Coordinates of all heavy atoms in Angstrom, one line a residue:
M1 N -5.4 21.6 -0.7 CA -6.3 21.4 -1.8 C -7.7 21.7 -1.3 O -8.1 21.4 -0.2 CB -6.2 19.9 -2.2 CG -7.2 19.6 -3.3 SD -7.1 17.9 -3.9 CE -5.5 17.9 -4.6
R2 N -8.4 22.4 -2.1 CA -9.8 22.8 -1.8 C -10.8 21.6 -2.1 O -10.5 20.8 -3.0 CB -10.2 24.0 -2.6 CG -9.4 25.2 -2.2 CD -9.7 26.3 -3.1 NE -8.8 27.4 -2.8 CZ -9.2 28.7 -2.6 NH1 -10.5 29.0 -2.6 NH2 -8.3 29.6 -2.3
L3 N -11.9 21.6 -1.4 CA -13.0 20.6 -1.6 C -13.5 20.7 -3.1 O -13.8 19.7 -3.7 CB -14.1 20.8 -0.6 CG -15.1 19.7 -0.5 CD1 -14.4 18.4 -0.1 CD2 -16.1 20.1 0.6
S4 N -13.6 22.0 -3.6 CA -14.1 22.1 -4.9 C -13.1 21.5 -6.0 O -13.6 21.0 -7.0 CB -14.2 23.6 -5.3 OG -13.0 24.3 -5.2
E5 N -11.8 21.5 -5.7 CA -10.8 20.8 -6.6 C -11.0 19.3 -6.5 O -10.8 18.7 -7.6 CB -9.4 21.2 -6.2 CG -9.1 22.7 -6.4 CD -7.7 23.0 -5.9 OE1 -6.7 22.3 -6.3 OE2 -7.6 23.9 -5.0
M6 N -11.3 18.8 -5.4 CA -11.5 17.3 -5.2 C -12.7 16.9 -5.9 O -12.8 15.7 -6.4 CB -11.5 16.9 -3.8 CG -10.1 17.1 -3.2 SD -10.0 16.3 -1.5 CE -10.4 14.6 -1.9
S7 N -13.7 17.7 -6.0 CA -15.0 17.3 -6.6 C -14.9 17.1 -8.1 O -15.8 16.5 -8.7 CB -16.1 18.3 -6.3 OG -15.9 19.5 -6.9
A8 N -13.8 17.6 -8.7 CA -13.6 17.4 -10.2 C -12.8 16.2 -10.5 O -12.6 15.9 -11.7 CB -13.0 18.7 -10.8
K9 N -12.3 15.5 -9.5 CA -11.5 14.3 -9.8 C -12.3 13.0 -9.9 O -13.3 12.9 -9.1 CB -10.4 14.2 -8.7 CG -9.5 15.4 -8.6 CD -8.5 15.2 -7.5 CE -7.7 16.4 -7.3 NZ -6.7 16.7 -8.3
E10 N -11.9 12.1 -10.8 CA -12.6 10.8 -10.8 C -12.2 10.0 -9.7 O -11.0 10.0 -9.3 CB -12.3 10.1 -12.1 CG -13.0 8.8 -12.3 CD -12.9 8.3 -13.7 OE1 -11.9 8.6 -14.4 OE2 -13.7 7.4 -14.0
I11 N -13.1 9.2 -9.1 CA -12.8 8.3 -8.0 C -12.8 6.9 -8.5 O -13.7 6.4 -9.2 CB -13.9 8.5 -6.9 CG1 -13.8 9.9 -6.3 CG2 -13.6 7.5 -5.8 CD1 -14.8 10.2 -5.3
V12 N -11.7 6.2 -8.2 CA -11.5 4.8 -8.7 C -11.1 3.9 -7.5 O -10.3 4.3 -6.7 CB -10.3 4.8 -9.7 CG1 -10.1 3.3 -10.2 CG2 -10.6 5.7 -10.9
D13 N -11.9 2.8 -7.4 CA -11.5 1.8 -6.4 C -10.6 0.8 -7.0 O -11.0 0.0 -7.9 CB -12.8 1.1 -5.9 CG -12.6 0.2 -4.8 OD1 -11.4 -0.3 -4.6 OD2 -13.5 -0.1 -4.0
F14 N -9.3 0.8 -6.7 CA -8.4 0.0 -7.4 C -8.5 -1.5 -6.9 O -8.1 -2.4 -7.7 CB -6.9 0.5 -7.2 CG -6.3 0.2 -5.9 CD1 -5.6 -0.9 -5.7 CD2 -6.3 1.1 -4.9 CE1 -4.9 -1.2 -4.5 CE2 -5.8 0.9 -3.6 CZ -5.0 -0.3 -3.4
E15 N -9.0 -1.8 -5.8 CA -9.1 -3.2 -5.3 C -10.2 -3.9 -6.1 O -10.1 -5.0 -6.5 CB -9.4 -3.2 -3.8 CG -9.4 -4.6 -3.2 CD -8.1 -5.2 -3.2 OE1 -7.0 -4.5 -3.1 OE2 -8.0 -6.5 -3.2
Q16 N -11.3 -3.2 -6.3 CA -12.5 -3.8 -7.1 C -12.3 -3.5 -8.6 O -13.1 -4.1 -9.4 CB -13.8 -3.1 -6.6 CG -14.1 -3.3 -5.1 CD -14.3 -4.8 -4.8 OE1 -14.9 -5.5 -5.6 NE2 -13.8 -5.2 -3.7
G17 N -11.4 -2.6 -9.0 CA -11.3 -2.3 -10.4 C -12.5 -1.6 -10.9 O -13.0 -1.8 -12.0
E18 N -13.1 -0.7 -10.1 CA -14.3 0.0 -10.4 C -14.2 1.5 -10.5 O -13.6 2.1 -9.6 CB -15.3 -0.4 -9.3 CG -16.7 0.1 -9.5 CD -17.6 -0.4 -8.3 OE1 -17.1 -0.9 -7.3 OE2 -18.8 -0.1 -8.5
R19 N -14.7 2.1 -11.5 CA -14.8 3.5 -11.6 C -16.0 4.0 -10.9 O -17.2 3.6 -11.2 CB -14.8 4.0 -13.0 CG -13.6 3.7 -13.8 CD -13.7 4.0 -15.2 NE -14.0 5.4 -15.5 CZ -14.2 5.9 -16.6 NH1 -14.0 5.2 -17.7 NH2 -14.5 7.2 -16.7
L20 N -15.9 4.8 -9.8 CA -17.0 5.3 -9.0 C -17.6 6.5 -9.6 O -18.7 7.0 -9.1 CB -16.6 5.4 -7.6 CG -16.1 4.1 -6.9 CD1 -15.6 4.4 -5.6 CD2 -17.1 3.0 -7.0
G21 N -16.9 7.2 -10.5 CA -17.4 8.5 -11.1 C -16.7 9.7 -10.6 O -15.8 9.7 -9.8
V22 N -17.2 10.8 -11.2 CA -16.7 12.1 -10.8 C -17.8 12.8 -10.0 O -18.9 12.9 -10.4 CB -16.5 13.0 -12.1 CG1 -16.0 14.4 -11.7 CG2 -15.4 12.3 -13.0
P23 N -17.5 13.1 -8.7 CA -18.5 13.6 -7.8 C -19.3 14.8 -8.3 O -20.5 14.8 -8.1 CB -17.8 13.9 -6.5 CG -16.5 13.2 -6.7 CD -16.2 13.0 -8.1
G24 N -18.7 15.8 -8.8 CA -19.4 17.0 -9.1 C -19.7 17.8 -7.8 O -19.2 18.9 -7.6
R25 N -20.6 17.2 -7.0 CA -20.9 17.8 -5.7 C -20.2 16.9 -4.7 O -20.3 15.7 -4.7 CB -22.4 17.7 -5.4 CG -23.1 19.0 -5.8 CD -24.6 18.9 -5.3 NE -25.0 17.8 -4.7 CZ -26.2 17.2 -4.8 NH1 -27.0 17.7 -5.7 NH2 -26.6 16.2 -4.1
L26 N -19.5 17.5 -3.8 CA -18.8 16.7 -2.8 C -18.9 17.4 -1.4 O -18.7 18.6 -1.3 CB -17.3 16.6 -3.2 CG -16.4 15.7 -2.4 CD1 -16.8 14.2 -2.5 CD2 -14.9 15.9 -2.8
D27 N -19.2 16.6 -0.4 CA -19.3 17.1 0.9 C -18.3 16.3 1.8 O -18.0 15.2 1.5 CB -20.7 16.9 1.5 CG -21.8 17.8 0.9 OD1 -21.4 18.9 0.6 OD2 -22.9 17.3 0.6
A28 N -17.9 17.0 2.9 CA -17.0 16.3 3.8 C -17.6 16.2 5.2 O -18.3 17.2 5.6 CB -15.7 17.1 3.9
R29 N -17.4 15.1 5.8 CA -17.9 15.0 7.2 C -16.7 15.2 8.1 O -15.7 14.5 8.0 CB -18.5 13.6 7.5 CG -19.1 13.6 8.9 CD -19.9 12.3 9.2 NE -19.1 11.1 9.0 CZ -19.6 10.1 8.3 NH1 -20.8 10.1 7.9 NH2 -18.8 9.0 8.2
V30 N -16.7 16.2 9.0 CA -15.6 16.6 9.8 C -15.9 16.3 11.3 O -17.0 16.6 11.7 CB -15.3 18.1 9.6 CG1 -14.2 18.6 10.5 CG2 -15.1 18.5 8.1
N31 N -14.9 15.8 12.0 CA -15.0 15.6 13.4 C -15.0 16.9 14.1 O -14.1 17.7 14.0 CB -13.9 14.7 13.9 CG -14.0 14.3 15.3 OD1 -14.3 15.2 16.2 ND2 -13.6 13.1 15.6
A32 N -16.1 17.3 14.8 CA -16.2 18.6 15.4 C -15.2 18.9 16.5 O -14.7 20.0 16.7 CB -17.6 18.8 16.0
S33 N -14.7 17.8 17.2 CA -13.8 18.1 18.3 C -12.3 18.2 17.8 O -11.5 18.9 18.4 CB -14.0 17.0 19.3 OG -13.7 15.7 18.8
T34 N -12.0 17.4 16.8 CA -10.6 17.4 16.3 C -10.4 18.2 15.0 O -9.2 18.6 14.7 CB -10.1 16.0 16.0 OG1 -10.8 15.5 14.9 CG2 -10.2 15.1 17.3
G35 N -11.4 18.5 14.3 CA -11.3 19.2 13.0 C -10.8 18.3 11.8 O -10.5 18.8 10.7
E36 N -10.7 17.0 12.1 CA -10.2 16.1 11.1 C -11.3 15.7 10.1 O -12.4 15.5 10.6 CB -9.5 14.9 11.7 CG -8.3 15.2 12.5 CD -7.7 14.0 13.2 OE1 -8.4 13.0 13.3 OE2 -6.5 14.1 13.5
I37 N -11.0 15.5 8.8 CA -12.0 15.0 7.9 C -12.1 13.5 8.2 O -11.1 12.7 8.2 CB -11.5 15.2 6.5 CG1 -11.4 16.7 6.2 CG2 -12.4 14.5 5.5 CD1 -10.8 17.0 4.8
E38 N -13.4 13.0 8.4 CA -13.6 11.6 8.6 C -14.0 10.9 7.3 O -13.7 9.8 7.1 CB -14.8 11.5 9.6 CG -14.4 11.9 11.0 CD -15.5 11.7 11.9 OE1 -16.7 11.5 11.6 OE2 -15.3 11.8 13.2
A39 N -14.8 11.6 6.4 CA -15.2 10.9 5.2 C -15.6 12.0 4.2 O -15.9 13.2 4.6 CB -16.4 10.0 5.5
F40 N -15.7 11.6 3.0 CA -16.2 12.4 1.9 C -17.5 11.8 1.4 O -17.6 10.5 1.3 CB -15.3 12.5 0.7 CG -14.0 13.3 1.0 CD1 -12.8 12.7 1.2 CD2 -14.1 14.7 1.1 CE1 -11.7 13.4 1.4 CE2 -12.9 15.4 1.4 CZ -11.7 14.8 1.5
L41 N -18.5 12.6 1.1 CA -19.8 12.1 0.7 C -20.1 12.7 -0.7 O -20.0 13.9 -0.9 CB -20.9 12.5 1.7 CG -20.6 12.2 3.2 CD1 -21.6 13.0 4.1 CD2 -20.8 10.7 3.4
F42 N -20.5 11.8 -1.6 CA -21.0 12.4 -2.9 C -22.2 11.6 -3.4 O -22.3 10.4 -3.2 CB -19.8 12.5 -3.9 CG -19.3 11.2 -4.5 CD1 -19.8 10.7 -5.7 CD2 -18.3 10.5 -3.8 CE1 -19.4 9.5 -6.2 CE2 -17.8 9.3 -4.4 CZ -18.4 8.8 -5.6
P43 N -23.1 12.3 -4.1 CA -24.3 11.7 -4.5 C -24.0 10.9 -5.8 O -23.2 11.2 -6.6 CB -25.2 12.9 -4.9 CG -24.3 14.0 -5.1 CD -23.0 13.8 -4.3
T44 N -24.7 9.8 -5.8 CA -24.7 8.9 -7.1 C -26.2 8.9 -7.5 O -27.1 8.6 -6.7 CB -24.3 7.5 -6.8 OG1 -25.0 6.9 -5.8 CG2 -22.8 7.5 -6.3
S45 N -26.4 9.2 -8.8 CA -27.8 9.3 -9.3 C -28.1 8.1 -10.2 O -27.2 7.7 -11.0 CB -28.0 10.6 -10.1 OG -27.8 11.7 -9.3
R46 N -29.2 7.6 -10.1 CA -29.7 6.5 -10.9 C -31.1 6.9 -11.4 O -31.9 7.3 -10.7 CB -29.8 5.2 -10.2 CG -28.5 4.7 -9.7 CD -28.6 3.3 -9.3 NE -27.2 2.9 -8.9 CZ -26.9 2.4 -7.8 NH1 -27.7 2.3 -6.8 NH2 -25.6 2.0 -7.6
W47 N -31.3 6.8 -12.8 CA -32.5 7.2 -13.4 C -33.4 6.0 -13.5 O -33.0 4.9 -13.9 CB -32.3 7.9 -14.7 CG -31.7 9.2 -14.6 CD1 -30.4 9.5 -14.6 CD2 -32.4 10.4 -14.5 NE1 -30.2 10.9 -14.5 CE2 -31.4 11.4 -14.4 CE3 -33.7 10.8 -14.5 CZ2 -31.8 12.8 -14.3 CZ3 -34.1 12.1 -14.3 CH2 -33.1 13.1 -14.3
S48 N -34.7 6.2 -13.2 CA -35.7 5.2 -13.6 C -36.7 5.9 -14.4 O -36.7 7.1 -14.5 CB -36.3 4.6 -12.3 OG -37.1 5.6 -11.7
P49 N -37.5 5.1 -15.1 CA -38.6 5.8 -16.0 C -39.5 6.8 -15.2 O -40.0 7.7 -15.8 CB -39.3 4.7 -16.5 CG -38.5 3.5 -16.4 CD -37.7 3.7 -15.1
F50 N -39.6 6.6 -13.9 CA -40.6 7.4 -13.2 C -40.0 8.5 -12.3 O -40.6 9.5 -12.0 CB -41.5 6.5 -12.3 CG -42.2 5.4 -13.2 CD1 -41.8 4.1 -13.1 CD2 -43.2 5.8 -14.1 CE1 -42.4 3.2 -13.9 CE2 -43.8 4.9 -14.8 CZ -43.4 3.5 -14.8
R51 N -38.8 8.3 -11.8 CA -38.1 9.3 -11.0 C -36.6 9.0 -10.9 O -36.1 8.0 -11.3 CB -38.7 9.2 -9.6 CG -38.3 7.9 -8.8 CD -38.9 7.9 -7.4 NE -38.4 6.8 -6.7 CZ -38.9 5.6 -6.6 NH1 -40.0 5.3 -7.3 NH2 -38.4 4.6 -5.9
K52 N -36.0 10.1 -10.4 CA -34.5 10.0 -10.2 C -34.2 9.6 -8.8 O -34.7 10.2 -7.9 CB -33.9 11.4 -10.5 CG -32.5 11.5 -10.4 CD -32.0 12.9 -10.7 CE -30.5 13.1 -10.4 NZ -30.1 14.5 -10.6
N53 N -33.5 8.5 -8.7 CA -33.1 8.0 -7.3 C -31.7 8.5 -7.0 O -30.8 8.4 -7.9 CB -33.1 6.5 -7.3 CG -34.4 5.9 -7.5 OD1 -35.4 6.5 -7.2 ND2 -34.5 4.7 -8.2
E54 N -31.6 9.1 -5.9 CA -30.2 9.6 -5.5 C -29.8 9.0 -4.2 O -30.5 9.0 -3.2 CB -30.3 11.2 -5.4 CG -28.9 11.8 -5.2 CD -28.9 13.2 -5.4 OE1 -29.1 13.7 -6.5 OE2 -28.8 13.9 -4.3
E55 N -28.7 8.4 -4.2 CA -28.1 7.8 -3.0 C -26.7 8.5 -2.8 O -26.2 9.3 -3.6 CB -27.8 6.3 -3.3 CG -29.0 5.5 -3.6 CD -28.7 4.1 -4.0 OE1 -27.5 3.7 -4.0 OE2 -29.6 3.3 -4.2
T56 N -26.2 8.3 -1.6 CA -25.0 9.0 -1.2 C -23.9 7.9 -1.0 O -24.1 7.0 -0.3 CB -25.1 9.8 0.0 OG1 -26.1 10.8 -0.2 CG2 -23.8 10.5 0.4
L57 N -22.8 8.1 -1.7 CA -21.6 7.2 -1.5 C -20.7 7.8 -0.5 O -20.3 9.0 -0.6 CB -20.9 6.9 -2.8 CG -19.7 6.0 -2.8 CD1 -20.1 4.6 -2.3 CD2 -19.0 6.0 -4.1
E58 N -20.3 7.0 0.5 CA -19.4 7.6 1.5 C -18.0 6.9 1.3 O -17.8 5.7 1.3 CB -19.9 7.2 2.9 CG -19.0 7.7 4.0 CD -19.6 7.3 5.4 OE1 -20.8 7.5 5.6 OE2 -18.8 6.9 6.2
I59 N -17.0 7.8 1.2 CA -15.6 7.3 1.1 C -14.9 7.8 2.4 O -14.7 9.0 2.6 CB -14.8 7.9 -0.1 CG1 -15.6 7.6 -1.4 CG2 -13.4 7.5 -0.1 CD1 -15.6 6.1 -1.8
R60 N -14.6 6.9 3.3 CA -13.9 7.2 4.5 C -12.5 7.6 4.3 O -11.9 7.2 3.3 CB -14.0 6.0 5.5 CG -15.4 5.4 5.7 CD -16.0 5.5 7.0 NE -15.2 5.7 8.2 CZ -15.6 6.5 9.1 NH1 -16.7 7.2 9.0 NH2 -14.9 6.7 10.2
W61 N -12.0 8.5 5.1 CA -10.7 9.1 4.9 C -9.6 8.0 4.8 O -8.7 8.0 4.0 CB -10.3 10.1 6.0 CG -9.0 10.7 5.8 CD1 -7.8 10.4 6.5 CD2 -8.6 11.7 4.9 NE1 -6.8 11.1 6.1 CE2 -7.2 12.0 5.0 CE3 -9.3 12.4 3.9 CZ2 -6.5 12.9 4.3 CZ3 -8.6 13.3 3.1 CH2 -7.2 13.5 3.3
H62 N -9.7 7.0 5.7 CA -8.7 5.9 5.7 C -8.8 5.0 4.5 O -7.9 4.2 4.2 CB -8.7 5.1 7.0 CG -10.0 4.3 7.2 ND1 -11.1 4.8 7.8 CD2 -10.2 3.0 6.9 CE1 -12.0 3.9 7.8 NE2 -11.5 2.8 7.3
H63 N -9.8 5.1 3.7 CA -9.9 4.3 2.4 C -9.2 5.0 1.3 O -9.0 4.4 0.2 CB -11.4 4.1 2.0 CG -12.1 3.2 2.9 ND1 -13.5 3.2 3.0 CD2 -11.7 2.3 3.8 CE1 -13.9 2.3 3.9 NE2 -12.8 1.8 4.4
I64 N -8.8 6.3 1.4 CA -8.2 7.0 0.3 C -6.7 6.5 0.3 O -6.0 6.6 1.3 CB -8.3 8.5 0.5 CG1 -9.7 8.9 0.4 CG2 -7.4 9.2 -0.5 CD1 -10.0 10.4 0.6
H65 N -6.3 6.1 -0.9 CA -4.9 5.6 -1.1 C -4.1 6.7 -1.6 O -3.0 7.0 -1.1 CB -5.0 4.4 -2.1 CG -3.7 3.7 -2.2 ND1 -2.8 4.1 -3.2 CD2 -3.1 2.7 -1.6 CE1 -1.7 3.4 -3.1 NE2 -1.9 2.5 -2.2
T66 N -4.5 7.4 -2.7 CA -3.8 8.4 -3.3 C -4.7 9.5 -3.9 O -5.8 9.2 -4.4 CB -2.9 7.9 -4.5 OG1 -2.1 6.8 -4.0 CG2 -2.1 9.0 -5.1
I67 N -4.3 10.7 -3.7 CA -5.0 11.8 -4.4 C -4.1 12.4 -5.5 O -3.0 13.0 -5.1 CB -5.5 12.9 -3.4 CG1 -6.4 12.4 -2.4 CG2 -6.1 14.1 -4.2 CD1 -6.8 13.3 -1.3
G68 N -4.4 12.1 -6.7 CA -3.5 12.6 -7.8 C -4.1 13.8 -8.5 O -5.0 14.5 -8.0
E69 N -3.4 14.1 -9.6 CA -3.8 15.3 -10.3 C -5.2 15.2 -11.0 O -5.9 16.2 -11.0 CB -2.8 15.6 -11.4 CG -2.9 16.9 -12.1 CD -1.8 17.2 -13.1 OE1 -0.6 16.9 -12.7 OE2 -2.0 17.7 -14.2
D70 N -5.5 14.0 -11.4 CA -6.8 13.8 -12.1 C -7.8 12.9 -11.4 O -8.9 12.8 -11.8 CB -6.6 13.3 -13.6 CG -5.8 14.3 -14.4 OD1 -6.0 15.5 -14.2 OD2 -5.0 13.9 -15.2
M71 N -7.3 12.1 -10.5 CA -8.2 11.1 -9.9 C -7.8 10.9 -8.4 O -6.7 11.2 -7.9 CB -8.2 9.8 -10.6 CG -6.9 9.0 -10.6 SD -7.0 7.4 -11.5 CE -7.5 7.9 -13.1
I72 N -8.8 10.3 -7.7 CA -8.6 9.9 -6.3 C -8.7 8.3 -6.3 O -9.7 7.8 -6.8 CB -9.7 10.5 -5.4 CG1 -9.6 12.0 -5.5 CG2 -9.6 10.0 -4.0 CD1 -10.8 12.7 -4.8
I73 N -7.7 7.7 -5.9 CA -7.7 6.2 -5.8 C -8.0 5.8 -4.4 O -7.3 6.2 -3.5 CB -6.3 5.7 -6.3 CG1 -6.0 6.1 -7.7 CG2 -6.3 4.1 -6.2 CD1 -4.6 5.8 -8.2
V74 N -9.0 4.9 -4.3 CA -9.4 4.5 -3.0 C -9.4 2.9 -2.9 O -9.4 2.2 -3.9 CB -10.9 4.9 -2.7 CG1 -11.0 6.4 -2.7 CG2 -11.9 4.4 -3.6
N75 N -9.4 2.4 -1.7 CA -9.5 1.0 -1.4 C -10.5 0.8 -0.4 O -10.2 1.0 0.8 CB -8.1 0.4 -1.0 CG -8.1 -1.0 -0.8 OD1 -9.2 -1.7 -1.0 ND2 -7.0 -1.6 -0.5
R76 N -11.7 0.5 -0.8 CA -12.8 0.4 0.2 C -12.8 -0.8 1.0 O -13.6 -1.0 1.9 CB -14.2 0.6 -0.5 CG -14.3 2.0 -1.1 CD -15.7 2.2 -1.7 NE -15.9 1.4 -2.8 CZ -17.1 1.2 -3.4 NH1 -18.1 1.8 -2.9 NH2 -17.2 0.4 -4.4
S77 N -12.0 -1.8 0.6 CA -12.0 -3.1 1.4 C -11.1 -3.1 2.6 O -10.9 -4.0 3.3 CB -11.5 -4.2 0.4 OG -10.2 -4.0 0.0
V78 N -10.4 -1.9 2.9 CA -9.5 -1.8 4.0 C -10.4 -1.7 5.3 O -11.3 -1.1 5.4 CB -8.6 -0.6 3.9 CG1 -7.8 -0.4 5.1 CG2 -7.7 -0.7 2.7

């Protein structure tokens, strides 16, 4: 699966019952020595009347429970 395909999937935390959104832009942090994916990073935007605040949400690889056709189910409490 390509990173661009994953960026179109909705991310849901099933333990918290929370929809985290559709990343749109998605980056991966890769371990340089092993080549393994350590985490996915995607921006979350919040609008204020004066400026756009952008934070980055990190989903560690071991938090991913299932990658389905339309969504990625995570458990961030693990």
Side-chain angles (χ1 to χ4, degrees):
M1 178 178 294
R2 295 174 186 232
L3 193 59
S4 61
E5 293 175 53
M6 289 191 61
S7 67
K9 299 177 186 291
E10 182 171 18
I11 299 176
V12 177
D13 186 336
F14 78 91
E15 188 69 28
Q16 301 293 321
E18 182 180 11
R19 293 173 59 179
L20 302 175
V22 178
R25 264 187 4 218
L26 184 68
D27 291 321
R29 185 170 58 224
V30 178
N31 184 319
S33 61
T34 65
E36 295 177 341
I37 296 174
E38 293 180 347
F40 291 106
L41 309 165
F42 70 93
T44 58
S45 299
R46 296 195 175 120
W47 288 91
S48 71
F50 304 107
R51 68 179 188 273
K52 179 180 172 182
N53 296 328
E54 190 169 287
E55 299 173 0
T56 301
L57 178 63
E58 178 179 321
I59 303 293
R60 308 242 344 134
W61 180 256
H62 67 274
H63 291 160
I64 295 176
H65 185 271
T66 305
I67 299 175
E69 191 173 316
D70 297 325
M71 67 178 58
I72 301 169
I73 299 174
V74 299
N75 184 359
R76 294 185 296 168
S77 64
V78 175

